[in-house]
Amino acid sequence: MKRKKSGWIVKLCLAAFIIYTAYKLVNLQMEIHGKRAEIADYKVKIEEQQRQNENLQQDIDHKLTEDEIKQIARDKLGLATPDERIFVNVTGQ
């Protein structure tokens, strides 16, 4: 009688382990899929940044004047000189 009970418990534990393992495998596959999508997004962002860097390097190579460099810094990077005051129109006009 004991042997039948212990065999039943072993089968139950084994079934629980198999179900848990299958659940974890499915979750891991979903995580992997999500991470692959993230990697693809980052690759696109890297390519865009590399293109932007190449454009900026071309601008540097073409010997921009100091005024052109300042204008790019203001327009694209939002920078200002230390002694410069910037006024922002918040009325929307």
Side-chain angles (χ1 to χ4, degrees):
M1 189 77 158
K2 267 189 170 182
R3 189 170 223 175
K4 287 183 180 181
K5 281 186 180 180
S6 64
W8 182 77
I9 293 173
V10 170
K11 288 178 184 179
L12 181 65
C13 289
L14 184 60
F17 177 75
I18 289 171
I19 291 170
Y20 174 76
T21 304
Y23 172 77
K24 290 302 277 183
L25 284 173
V26 169
N27 276 346
L28 287 173
Q29 286 297 323
M30 290 171 50
E31 262 187 68
I32 289 170
H33 179 72
K35 295 298 179 183
R36 284 185 177 155
E38 263 185 70
I39 288 171
D41 289 342
Y42 283 125
K43 284 182 180 180
V44 169
K45 288 179 183 179
I46 288 170
E47 289 173 5
E48 289 173 3
Q49 188 63 48
Q50 285 175 338
R51 273 184 263 143
Q52 196 174 32
N53 288 349
E54 288 171 5
N55 290 340
L56 290 172
Q57 187 63 46
Q58 286 176 357
D59 289 345
I60 291 170
D61 292 342
H62 287 81
K63 306 288 183 193
L64 295 174
T65 65
E66 190 172 327
D67 291 332
E68 290 172 327
I69 293 171
K70 285 182 183 178
Q71 190 64 37
I72 291 171
R74 278 192 192 99
D75 295 342
K76 292 186 179 180
L77 303 176
L79 300 177
T81 60
D83 59 338
E84 185 176 22
R85 287 188 182 182
I86 298 177
F87 295 95
V88 179
N89 184 0
V90 293
T91 61
Q93 296 180 9

